[in-house]
Amino acid sequence: MLELKTPREIDAMRTTGAFIAGLLDDLAQRAAPGVNLLDLEHRARDLIAERGAVSCYWDYAPSFGSGPFRNVICLSVNDAVLHGLPHDYVLQDGDVLSMDIAVSIDGWVADSARTVVVGTERPEDHRLIESTERALAAGIAAAQPGNRLGDISAAIGAVAAEYGYPVNTQFGGHGLGRTMHEDPHVSNTGRAGRGLVLRPGLTLALEPWWTPTTDEIVFDPDGWTIRSADGSRTAHSEHTVAITDDGPQVLTAPADR
Ligand code: MG
Ligand code: MG
């Protein structure tokens, strides 16, 4: 079901989004060589508890996971790209870390992901992260009232094509609001001018992710962590966006940008 939100409801989602942006800022600053992923998970838990927010991940049990998720954030390192299960791993210099989190505050959800390099950045990793950030910006720019869903997908996919990166279509963006995953699905590639007409009040999580040399993914035995099939490094960028009469509004934007 697809629910259009009122301006007031969008404001409520923006409150949640601002909290998530601050949380990701906090974790990005902490993500240094020598830091354990479990320290980041526990920091996120503390911030969520302090704010009185509710994790959308805790006890999440979709068809692909093995049992309910018992963490509040997905932390995906290097070849891991989505749904990375926080585990006992100490970050190394040069690691590529994707952090993805969704919470609700007063019943309204926001969802955002960010990829950072821990310590020293390699040029190829910079390019990879830049590509998903640029694709996200292009998808947001296409999220205009009156446009179609395919315009967003095409804009995201065009950036991947520009970099020469293939796009896997098994996972993509989605509607959200009262819950983390609502209709519609937003593919990271598609044809402009096709699909649902974007109306004010539609709220979407746009989330380009890809791996530079393959469009195939593999699941860890835990059923959660998804990796590039060829071990190549990966990136993922996500914002929650509202379509309004005045154009797209990013609800999870960091305060300083
Ligand atoms: Mg997410
Ligand atoms: Mg999402």
Side-chain angles (χ1 to χ4, degrees):
M1 154 159 169
L2 199 153
E3 184 193 12
L4 298 177
K5 281 76 177 180
T6 65
R8 200 176 183 145
E9 290 168 343
I10 289 171
D11 281 344
M13 290 176 68
R14 195 191 324 274
T15 297
T16 309
F19 167 74
I20 286 182
L23 186 151
L24 288 175
D25 284 344
D26 182 281
L27 296 188
Q29 282 179 0
R30 287 167 190 269
V35 170
N36 195 302
L37 292 182
L38 295 177
D39 294 338
L40 299 179
E41 161 70 23
H42 285 278
R43 174 63 178 168
R45 285 185 199 180
D46 289 347
L47 291 173
I48 287 170
E50 268 171 33
R51 182 63 177 79
V54 177
S55 168
C56 298
Y57 289 177
W58 194 267
D59 278 347
Y60 184 55
S63 57
F64 51 82
S66 59
F69 201 72
R70 285 296 164 89
N71 297 277
V72 301
I73 189 164
C74 291
L75 299 171
S76 304
V77 179
N78 295 337
D79 60 319
V81 63
L82 295 175
H83 308 158
L85 194 68
H87 60 287
D88 182 13
Y89 172 78
V90 175
L91 289 166
Q92 309 291 307
D93 187 51
D95 276 350
V96 174
L97 172 67
S98 296
M99 304 180 289
D100 187 359
I101 189 160
V103 306
S104 70
I105 295 175
D106 296 332
W108 291 99
V109 173
D111 183 3
S112 185
R114 205 181 290 181
T115 301
V116 297
V117 174
V118 177
T120 315
E121 186 179 70
R122 305 183 197 175
E124 61 270 32
D125 293 335
H126 178 86
R127 183 172 188 268
L128 179 61
I129 295 168
E130 173 192 73
S131 73
T132 57
E133 289 179 347
R134 281 192 52 210
L136 177 55
I140 293 166
Q144 302 290 342
N147 275 5
R148 288 180 180 267
L149 205 55
D151 294 318
I152 296 176
S153 299
I156 291 172
V159 175
E162 182 189 326
Y163 281 81
Y165 299 153
V167 176
N168 173 293
T169 54
Q170 284 170 267
F171 294 91
H174 50 91
L176 76 173
R178 294 179 198 271
T179 62
M180 174 167 60
H181 288 131
E182 300 180 357
D183 288 338
H185 172 74
V186 188
S187 176
N188 284 329
T189 187
R191 289 175 66 179
R194 295 291 188 92
L196 181 79
V197 175
L198 305 177
R199 291 169 58 195
L202 185 63
T203 46
L204 300 172
L206 305 183
E207 47 182 314
W209 64 273
W210 41 69
T211 71
T213 49
T214 179
D215 63 355
E216 289 185 31
I217 53 176
V218 291
F219 289 73
D220 273 8
D222 62 32
W224 289 106
T225 307
I226 297 176
R227 300 178 188 277
S228 63
D230 65 358
S232 56
R233 291 176 163 220
T234 63
H236 178 208
S237 301
E238 178 178 24
H239 274 312
T240 296
V241 179
I243 287 135
T244 77
D245 288 320
D246 302 325
Q249 291 184 7
V250 178
L251 305 182
T252 44
D256 60 341
R257 281 184 232 169

